[in-house]
Amino acid sequence: MSIAFFTAVLQCFAIEYLKVGQEKTLYFPSEITGKVLAGVPACVSTQPMNVAIVSTTLSGVTVRALKPVSGTPCTINVRYYYRELDPVSGQYIYQRTGSYNFYVYVKANEVESISVDPEEMVFDGFSRCEIYTEITPKDAETTYTWSSSDKNVAVIASYGATGTILAVGPGRCEITVRTSNGKTASCKVTVPGGQPTKVELQQSLSLTKGESYKLTPTLTPSGTSTDYTWKSSNPSIASVSSSGEVTALNEGTATITVTTSNNLTDNCQVTVNESPVVPEKVSIPESVTIAEGYSYAIVPSLFPQNAETSYTWTSSDNNVATISSDGKIFGQKAGEATITVATDNGKKGQCKVSIVTPPEEGNARNIQTRIQKIKAIVRRTIENR
């Protein structure tokens, strides 16, 4: 073989998958790295606007995915020169040429979330407004589908990621945008118009002295708007502010009336109750003796007696004695446990419970003794109540 330079083209390939924004080094196969290279291979991207070459070394080429590539992939062509030993002359033959292809597909990032601005729109003297979307991640690719929950109230003219809401008639509706992978966001739209034909309040309200509650009128049709005037039939019992906030002042009843600007009215009956008296002390028996398998009900005593509360019961050892939510102790096995009762405001009382084992079943000689012991236990239990 006397020719010093000739070309041998090797057609090989590898498929790579990247996401937009991803940077990756595509390493050359051993058929390249295993040769005596004459220099760094030359790499070319057939779609440089989609997949750009960042750098090339003797071991690989680093690329960055810029835009999605589907259908025909981007080809990264690697052209390299190497030396090969001539078996005849025993000398290196230079300028042999090889070629290797990477085929790269780039997948667009999917939308993780979408939001709209504004999220709520009240038309007041104008008939249209712009609505804008924002997606995460920002470089995700998607299509947008817009819809209106009530086209008699408002419709949407869409321009991809931006839309124009057009008011049609009085009422409320939602304008919703949906991405191609199903993510959604909505804008609540209110189109005022005309006078209300009906106003409604909740029929009744019960408050404790010192409490406050804001009443919210409901208008028919829903898209109408109006100003309100508020009045209490007994301000010393329950007062009402210009925004409809009711404040309970004293025990009794009062009627709260709302009036619209076109003289529609409705009422709410307010009952004010005195604040409940909280207990200052709770007490239960200091000690109780119960036989295994028997139960005993504890009734707490409150001070002052007109105090109101609910109780929480606990046992220090449920293996010995358990306690129900209504204060009934159940003897489980012989031993001692402490039963604790707590009021809503944290007052506590405790009872030491002793669980004893009744005499075992026996013959006629010890039956009378067993009966006497059980009677003594029952008597002590009754005395401790």
Side-chain angles (χ1 to χ4, degrees):
M1 193 179 289
S2 60
I3 301 176
F5 300 92
F6 63 95
T7 302
V9 180
L10 302 176
Q11 293 295 338
C12 303
F13 67 90
I15 299 176
E16 299 288 342
Y17 297 90
L18 281 71
K19 289 186 177 181
V20 171
Q22 183 180 359
E23 189 172 297
K24 184 177 182 180
T25 298
L26 311 179
Y27 292 99
F28 301 142
S30 59
E31 65 186 68
I32 298 178
T33 58
K35 298 182 182 300
V36 181
L37 297 177
V40 176
C43 297
V44 177
S45 170
T46 60
Q47 300 180 41
M49 300 299 293
N50 298 75
V51 181
I53 294 176
V54 178
S55 62
T56 306
T57 66
L58 288 172
S59 60
V61 55
T62 300
V63 298
R64 180 182 294 118
L66 303 177
K67 294 181 180 179
V69 175
S70 58
T72 302
C74 172
T75 301
I76 305 297
N77 177 253
V78 182
R79 194 169 185 83
Y80 57 95
Y81 300 92
Y82 63 97
R83 297 180 295 172
E84 188 173 88
L85 192 64
D86 186 346
V88 176
S89 66
Q91 301 295 320
Y92 274 106
I93 299 174
Y94 294 90
Q95 297 298 349
R96 283 188 180 274
T97 303
S99 181
Y100 186 89
N101 289 335
F102 292 100
Y103 293 105
V104 179
Y105 290 94
V106 180
K107 184 179 180 181
N109 290 324
E110 288 195 348
V111 176
E112 296 177 3
S113 64
I114 183 172
S115 60
V116 292
D117 182 26
E119 294 182 344
E120 188 169 353
M121 171 57 60
V122 179
F123 285 88
D124 186 12
F126 53 95
S127 61
R128 65 172 57 202
C129 76
E130 299 299 309
I131 182 170
Y132 305 93
T133 62
E134 183 173 346
I135 58 174
T136 302
K138 292 184 178 181
D139 61 355
E141 288 200 359
T142 186
T143 57
Y144 300 88
T145 303
W146 296 83
S147 62
S148 170
S149 64
D150 190 343
K151 294 182 179 180
N152 293 318
V153 177
V155 295
I156 180 76
S158 64
Y159 307 99
T162 304
T164 300
I165 304 174
L166 304 173
V168 177
R172 291 188 177 92
C173 72
E174 284 193 359
I175 300 296
T176 300
V177 60
R178 180 184 297 273
T179 64
S180 53
N181 67 333
K183 305 298 182 180
T184 62
S186 298
C187 172
K188 296 181 180 179
V189 175
T190 300
V191 181
Q195 295 287 332
T197 58
K198 186 178 182 181
V199 63
E200 291 180 283
L201 290 176
Q202 62 187 77
Q203 295 183 347
S204 61
L205 177 63
S206 180
L207 297 174
T208 299
K209 182 178 177 180
E211 285 186 329
S212 295
Y213 182 86
K214 186 173 183 178
L215 292 172
T216 302
T218 301
L219 295 176
T220 303
S222 61
T224 55
S225 60
T226 185
D227 294 326
Y228 300 104
T229 302
W230 296 89
K231 182 180 179 181
S232 172
S233 65
N234 197 338
S236 64
I237 299 296
S239 64
V240 62
S241 69
S242 59
S243 62
E245 185 169 359
V246 180
T247 301
L249 301 176
N250 290 291
E251 186 179 10
T253 59
T255 300
I256 303 298
T257 302
V258 64
T259 304
T260 66
S261 56
N262 62 331
N263 294 319
L264 300 174
T265 64
D266 197 22
N267 301 318
C268 174
Q269 301 299 319
V270 178
T271 301
V272 178
N273 303 303
E274 282 289 343
S275 301
V277 178
V278 297
E280 299 177 14
K281 182 180 178 181
V282 61
S283 60
I284 55 178
E286 293 183 358
S287 62
V288 170
T289 301
I290 307 173
E292 285 182 13
Y294 286 80
S295 63
Y296 177 78
I298 296 181
V299 179
S301 297
L302 294 176
F303 178 82
Q305 293 183 353
N306 62 340
E308 298 179 19
T309 187
S310 59
Y311 301 102
T312 301
W313 297 88
T314 56
S315 170
S316 64
D317 191 341
N318 287 317
N319 293 320
V320 174
T322 59
I323 183 77
S324 67
S325 59
D326 58 356
K328 182 176 287 188
I329 304 172
F330 295 88
Q332 302 295 332
K333 71 174 185 179
E336 292 186 346
T338 300
I339 299 299
T340 302
V341 62
T343 64
D344 290 338
N345 65 332
K347 304 300 179 181
K348 294 182 179 180
Q350 291 186 329
C351 173
K352 182 178 180 182
V353 178
S354 299
I355 307 300
V356 297
T357 302
E360 294 182 358
E361 294 288 348
N363 53 32
R365 290 181 300 174
N366 62 20
I367 288 178
Q368 189 64 32
T369 301
R370 177 175 176 271
I371 292 175
Q372 293 301 324
K373 288 185 177 181
I374 293 176
K375 285 183 177 180
I377 292 172
V378 172
R379 183 172 60 253
R380 289 197 301 272
T381 301
I382 294 174
E383 290 174 352
N384 287 331
R385 294 191 62 176

